[in-house]
Amino acid sequence: MRRNAVAVVGAAETTQLGVIPDLSQIGLHADAALNAMADCGLRPKDIDGIATAGETPVQLAQYLGITPAWVDGTSVGGCSFMIHVRHAAAAIEAGLAKTILITHGESGKSRIGNPGRTVPPASLNGQFEQPFGPMGPPSMFTIPVLRYMKTYGVTEEQIAQVSVVQREWAAKNPRATFKTPITTEDVLNSRMIAYPFRLLMCCLVTDGGGALILTSAERARDFKTKPVYVLGTGESAEGPMVSQMEDFTSSRAFRVAGPTAFQQAGISASVKDVDHLMIYDAFAHLPIYGLEDLGFLPRGEAAAFIAGRNTAPGGSLPLNTNGGGLSFMHSGMYGMYALQESVRQLRGTAAAQVPNAKISVCHGVGGMFAASGTIIFSNQSP
Amino acid sequence: MAEPGRALPVPTPETKHFWDGTNAGELRLQRCDSCGKNYFPPRPFCATCGSRKVTVFKASGKAVLWSYVIHHRPVPGFKPPYAIAVVQLAEGPRMMSNIVECEQTPEALQLDMELEVVFEKQNDTVTLPFFRPAKG
């Protein structure tokens, strides 16, 4: 794909975030989609491509009144929306569609119209993981971390620092669920969930949604919104069973998706080239794995980098500036909110705005290190 | 001892040898006849080289503790806190399991400690493989 050939022209979250008792899951998709269309002055008849996860694009097309000539139902967990951006950019450049809508909505807290997740007992997860007592992401996503900690001598205090720093960012964001500052001691004294993970090292569970609208860079000039260009993209998958990760100290999916995106963008994973960074943080170890697997830091150095305030407000690499899944919001498939924050930063409209941000890297995970998608955005005209 | 309510596996044609094995007191892995790779979970081909020429064999049952969490939330069939572990088998593959005959504490559960398989019958058709500290 060419750099900067496609742009985000519409972007919005649901009107409310947090606890939304008056909308079902598909209603959250629709609220976000209507907000994104209003953002860039489009109506459903103007959309000719649709991608979504959680719900199907078939359901969304009819519910929103869209007649698509291109559909993508890639559903690989919370990074599905990064992968949708990648596929949409390729489709627009190939001429398969002109104006693509990507939606996310999830009634993660209220669970209205949310079918939930079940593990079939004849699946490989059902046969070879579920009998041993995992119950959802807090007890699964966290399993590799003790091996990481032993390998690199990382402490619980350092992992707790990830949560502390992200709360500092959240304090600047009026839409963040948790804004009250916390200390390392607060994190280490919070309720144990799955040793070594305590409550404040785990993401929120909330309701919400978000939507993006992409079109060609040429057409993007006709919109009132400031275009945010797709500079580089990557995706990968490893597998659904966390017990079968190749390397418990690193995500293979991250190591494919990230470098692919940087290579396409023609930039390096460094403070020199990147102004703003989002790394999907369902749990406090994910920014650590992400910083290393994307190539920003050598293996084993990311926890000290975060504890050293390099990603905090005023640091050299602003990371998860909305407060992240740990403090901003997390509906279950958080990737869309990371994308929204990257777009806001490059539009110059973020609550905790990074001055003169020109390049934003947005990195997502799906499942328990099961899949990954990376998008690099730029606000510089091609 | 079967804990009531624990999620239990439903074998498929491709995994039946493994669950027949645990019922017979054997931990059965597969080996690729073409490239020699030992692998798990079960499948009738080698995901390293693509060969369909594979053999089921009885593993030693020896393993080390690779990583774990100690879960503190309620799950049917479990009394929290309990460890959800991944063990590295002597033959190479890793698998999820529980650590039995051992306190479920960070002090007792040391990474790389030596383990050995034990089998616990859950009902008339399902036996699960667990691991306990090696007795030498």
Side-chain angles (χ1 to χ4, degrees):
Chain A
M1 285 192 295
R2 287 182 301 134
R3 294 168 193 159
N4 289 345
V6 170
V8 174
V9 293
E13 293 167 351
T14 44
T15 308
Q16 298 176 68
L17 293 174
V19 181
I20 310 174
D22 58 345
L23 280 177
S24 66
Q25 184 154 294
I26 197 168
L28 294 167
H29 279 259
D31 182 48
L34 292 169
N35 285 346
M37 284 188 258
D39 181 53
C40 61
L42 293 180
R43 288 180 293 172
K45 68 174 178 56
D46 302 316
I47 305 290
D48 66 350
I50 185 162
T52 194
E55 303 288 327
T56 70
V58 179
Q59 288 169 302
L60 263 293
Q62 184 171 62
Y63 197 63
L64 290 169
I66 288 167
T67 303
W70 178 90
V71 296
D72 180 6
T74 301
S75 187
V76 294
C79 66
S80 299
F81 313 102
M82 283 80 171
I83 295 178
H84 294 154
V85 169
R86 184 172 205 244
H87 295 180
I92 289 165
E93 216 194 348
L96 305 183
K98 286 188 170 63
T99 311
I100 291 177
L101 170 70
I102 302 168
T103 71
H104 160 71
E106 196 163 15
S107 186
K109 178 76 170 177
S110 303
R111 307 201 75 77
I112 305 166
N114 177 342
R117 300 175 196 175
T118 56
V119 181
S123 67
L124 290 177
N125 289 71
Q127 292 185 65
F128 299 107
E129 289 195 341
Q130 287 304 117
F132 306 107
M135 182 63 83
S139 60
M140 299 178 79
F141 220 151
T142 49
I143 285 176
V145 177
L146 283 181
R147 176 54 60 180
Y148 179 93
M149 291 168 72
K150 178 167 181 174
T151 302
Y152 294 115
V154 167
T155 64
E156 289 172 59
E157 286 77 6
Q158 286 177 314
I159 293 176
Q161 281 289 315
V162 176
S163 305
V164 172
V165 166
Q166 291 199 199
R167 186 62 64 85
E168 291 182 37
W169 284 113
K172 298 172 179 291
N173 184 355
R175 270 166 71 86
T177 302
F178 290 144
K179 294 185 272 288
T180 309
I182 52 174
T183 65
T184 307
E185 289 68 36
D186 292 334
V187 179
L188 294 177
N189 289 328
S190 63
R191 181 160 53 90
M192 188 67 85
I193 300 295
Y195 169 82
F197 278 76
R198 294 173 180 275
L199 182 67
L200 292 177
M201 299 172 179
C202 303
C203 66
L204 301 162
V205 181
T206 51
D207 305 325
L212 295 169
I213 296 170
L214 285 83
T215 192
S216 68
E218 282 178 6
R219 290 187 68 223
R221 294 190 197 105
D222 299 333
F223 288 82
K224 63 180 181 178
T225 48
K226 180 177 180 177
V228 174
Y229 301 99
V230 178
L231 185 62
T233 65
E235 67 187 283
S236 190
E238 179 164 359
M241 299 172 74
V242 71
S243 63
Q244 300 305 313
M245 277 181 84
E246 274 182 6
D247 181 346
F248 276 31
T249 70
S250 168
S251 162
R252 191 185 80 191
F254 286 12
R255 297 196 312 273
V256 174
T260 303
F262 279 100
Q263 187 173 32
Q264 188 190 344
I267 63 169
S268 65
S270 69
V271 172
K272 173 176 69 72
D273 284 353
V274 175
D275 302 310
H276 172 252
L277 177 61
M278 298 296 291
I279 297 177
Y280 189 129
D281 59 325
F283 297 91
H285 61 302
L286 287 164
I288 296 171
Y289 280 63
L291 281 168
E292 294 174 13
D293 289 337
L294 290 176
F296 283 95
L297 290 162
R299 302 275 285 268
E301 294 187 10
F305 184 80
I306 292 171
R309 303 195 53 78
N310 292 288
T311 64
S316 59
L317 187 60
L319 169 69
N320 292 343
T321 49
N322 60 353
L326 294 172
S327 287
F328 171 59
M329 83 86 69
H330 195 295
S331 58
M333 293 195 289
Y334 166 82
M336 175 57 81
Y337 309 96
L339 290 163
Q340 295 288 332
E341 176 68 5
S342 283
V343 170
R344 285 193 293 264
Q345 288 286 349
L346 294 191
R347 285 178 169 183
T349 60
Q353 181 65 42
V354 174
N356 302 315
K358 294 184 177 66
I359 291 195
S360 174
V361 174
C362 191
H363 179 71
V365 66
M368 324 299 156
F369 289 119
S372 185
T374 311
I375 303 297
I376 302 177
F377 293 110
S378 160
N379 58 12
Q380 304 299 294
S381 301
Chain B
M1 292 167 290
E3 295 271 8
R6 182 192 281 258
L8 293 176
V10 172
T12 58
E14 298 93 332
T15 66
K16 185 172 180 296
H17 68 267
F18 182 88
W19 297 114
D20 286 348
T22 57
N23 281 328
E26 292 186 0
L27 188 67
R28 293 178 183 167
L29 300 176
Q30 286 167 297
R31 178 181 299 130
C32 175
D33 296 335
S34 299
C35 76
K37 175 89 171 177
N38 299 330
Y39 67 87
F40 176 87
R43 69 200 83 148
F45 61 93
C46 171
T48 299
C49 76
S51 172
R52 294 173 189 262
K53 293 179 183 169
V54 299
T55 301
V56 174
F57 70 99
K58 179 186 170 185
S60 65
K62 292 184 166 61
V64 296
L65 181 56
W66 195 248
S67 203
Y68 67 91
V69 293
I70 301 175
H71 199 207
H72 284 248
R73 297 161 84 209
V75 173
F78 291 84
K79 285 180 192 149
Y82 64 95
I84 306 164
V86 173
V87 304
Q88 166 114 39
L89 301 170
E91 290 78 9
R94 297 191 193 115
M95 61 184 294
M96 190 174 284
S97 188
N98 298 125
I99 309 301
V100 297
E101 301 176 38
C102 182
E103 280 192 65
Q104 306 290 290
T105 63
E107 294 73 27
L109 294 164
Q110 294 289 329
L111 295 200
D112 302 311
M113 67 191 283
E114 294 188 354
L115 304 168
E116 62 190 20
V117 72
V118 290
F119 297 97
E120 285 195 16
K121 186 169 177 162
Q122 304 296 307
N123 61 32
D124 287 345
T125 58
V126 175
T127 300
L128 292 177
F130 299 137
F131 288 80
R132 69 182 178 197
K135 296 186 172 176

